[in-house]
Amino acid sequence: MMDWTDHHCRYFLRQLSQHALLYTEMVTTGALLHGDTRRFLQYDETEHPLALQLGGSNPADLAACARLAEQAGYDEVNLNVGCPSDRVQNNMIGACLMAHPTLVADCVKAMRDAVSIPVTVKHRIGIDGRDSYEQLCDFIGQVRDAGCRSFTVHARIAILSGLSPKENREVPPLRYDIAAQLKRDFPDLELVLNGGIKTLQACQEHLETFDGVMLGREAYHNPYLLAEVDGQLFGSEQPPISRQEAMQVMRPYIERHMAAGGLMHHVTRHMLGLAQGFAGARRFRQLLSADIHKSDQPLAIFDQAAELLQGR
């Protein structure tokens, strides 16, 4: 999720779940190779397990980026073949690559040859003009033969002509049945389901069929959902952190960020959903998104927001 799951966001989410695999925002090969490499690879050691998600279509560039990821200590490299944005289509990145399975296979092989950490692929079940099940199986088969053993399947097609990225998350119908058929037809592969999953009960139901589930925007907008993940899905006996405890844990991190010249908003913008579902949630969001900009003591405003979560 570009511009969302930066290292501040991931640090916060890791306080809620110790076991969930976290993903970076998609980073293009050009940005990583020719931009601020350190900034794009930056993370805190507590973020592990952590995957770097790449966008690109040049095998040599992707291999070079995969090597950077491995050298930086990432646990996995994920190739995004699912993003429907026209901004990335123009550079042959994202879902448009589903029309070029041989190229995706070449990219995966180059990355696999370059590193020893897992190389995975996130994709849709099709795109406009290439949305038959046979074509989906051809895509999976070619990429599997190139060495990929784990696929994250967003169970919608992407309509690249005429729909916005937001509409592509809502208009094409979810087809969990097609994703389930893939698991039956490719039982040797790890298949992780993505798309429209909003509750841990739904996660548990899907895990009866799939090897994993991926939560995207729901985990961002309702982050406390992750606090129950370790106990319900990973069998942890540790009690979940409370919302107020999560605020307390984040305070020293924010202090360090501000001492280094950063703004509180860089971190708190990712925490606005922590009070979702409670009376006072609107005031909580106002304090962390607006009032901190008006005060010369933003940490005091942060503490006011934390008080709203007392006992929760």
Side-chain angles (χ1 to χ4, degrees):
M1 298 192 295
M2 295 179 70
D3 301 322
W4 287 21
T5 52
D6 62 17
H7 64 284
H8 299 308
C9 176
R10 299 190 306 266
Y11 185 91
F12 166 56
L13 297 179
R14 179 57 73 212
Q15 310 315 308
L16 302 175
S17 169
Q18 298 302 303
H19 297 291
L21 173 65
L22 300 179
Y23 286 77
T24 68
E25 55 193 324
M26 183 177 72
V27 181
T28 66
T29 54
L32 195 55
L33 294 175
H34 309 298
D36 189 343
T37 303
R38 180 182 176 279
R39 179 174 72 86
F40 286 117
L41 291 177
Q42 181 181 3
Y43 67 89
D44 188 279
E45 285 297 325
T46 61
E47 293 175 36
H48 290 292
L50 179 63
L52 176 70
Q53 187 173 95
L54 292 174
S57 57
N58 180 290
D61 287 350
L62 284 164
C65 289
R67 281 192 290 269
L68 288 174
E70 184 172 51
Q71 291 165 6
Y74 280 85
D75 302 294
E76 176 185 313
V77 181
N78 179 264
L79 178 62
N80 186 308
V81 191
C83 180
S85 169
D86 54 4
R87 183 173 60 169
V88 299
Q89 283 184 59
N90 295 333
N91 294 308
M92 278 288 285
I93 297 172
C96 64
L97 286 173
M98 292 205 68
H100 307 279
T102 301
L103 175 58
V104 175
D106 290 342
C107 291
V108 165
K109 184 178 187 306
M111 296 164 75
R112 287 267 300 159
D113 289 345
V115 299
S116 60
I117 58 176
V119 174
T120 64
V121 171
K122 183 177 185 291
H123 62 94
R124 296 277 183 137
I125 57 173
I127 57 175
D128 41 335
R130 189 179 172 88
D131 58 2
S132 72
Y133 185 70
E134 290 73 21
Q135 289 167 321
L136 176 58
C137 288
D138 176 58
F139 174 86
I140 296 287
Q142 289 197 49
V143 178
R144 173 203 59 191
D145 292 346
C148 182
R149 310 306 300 170
S150 178
F151 294 78
T152 298
V153 186
H154 187 144
R156 287 186 175 95
I157 68 166
I159 300 176
L160 304 181
S161 301
L163 290 186
S164 69
K166 181 178 186 297
E167 290 170 328
N168 262 302
R169 296 192 298 270
E170 300 169 353
V171 175
L174 283 164
R175 294 295 306 274
Y176 296 142
D177 58 318
I178 290 178
Q181 186 62 50
L182 279 178
K183 182 58 187 173
R184 288 191 290 271
D185 290 339
F186 295 91
D188 57 319
L189 298 180
E190 178 181 77
L191 258 68
V192 178
L193 183 68
N194 174 237
I197 306 169
K198 296 182 179 297
T199 67
L200 292 189
Q201 180 179 347
C203 290
Q204 291 171 327
E205 293 170 356
H206 288 305
L207 286 171
E208 295 178 5
T209 301
F210 299 96
D211 302 297
V213 291
M214 173 184 277
L215 297 175
R217 281 163 177 78
E218 187 64 23
Y220 189 89
H221 292 304
N222 183 19
Y224 196 69
L225 181 69
L226 294 183
E228 301 286 347
V229 161
D230 290 358
Q232 292 194 31
L233 302 185
F234 289 95
S236 173
E237 296 182 357
Q238 284 288 110
I241 189 172
S242 72
R243 290 172 171 84
Q244 188 177 41
E245 287 170 340
M247 293 286 286
Q248 292 169 346
V249 169
M250 290 301 295
R251 196 182 196 279
Y253 178 87
I254 291 171
E255 288 180 302
R256 293 193 298 272
H257 176 64
M258 294 174 66
L263 299 176
M264 182 183 290
H265 177 66
H266 296 159
V267 182
T268 56
R269 72 186 184 98
H270 302 300
M271 302 173 63
L272 301 182
L274 191 57
Q276 181 167 312
F278 285 95
R282 183 176 180 181
R283 177 61 177 154
F284 179 87
R285 292 192 299 270
Q286 179 184 344
L287 286 167
L288 293 187
S289 63
D291 290 11
I292 59 171
H293 298 293
K294 304 172 187 176
S295 174
D296 60 357
Q297 294 183 318
L299 281 169
I301 302 299
F302 182 87
D303 292 338
Q304 287 182 41
E307 289 176 8
L308 295 176
L309 297 180
Q310 188 169 2
R312 294 171 175 169

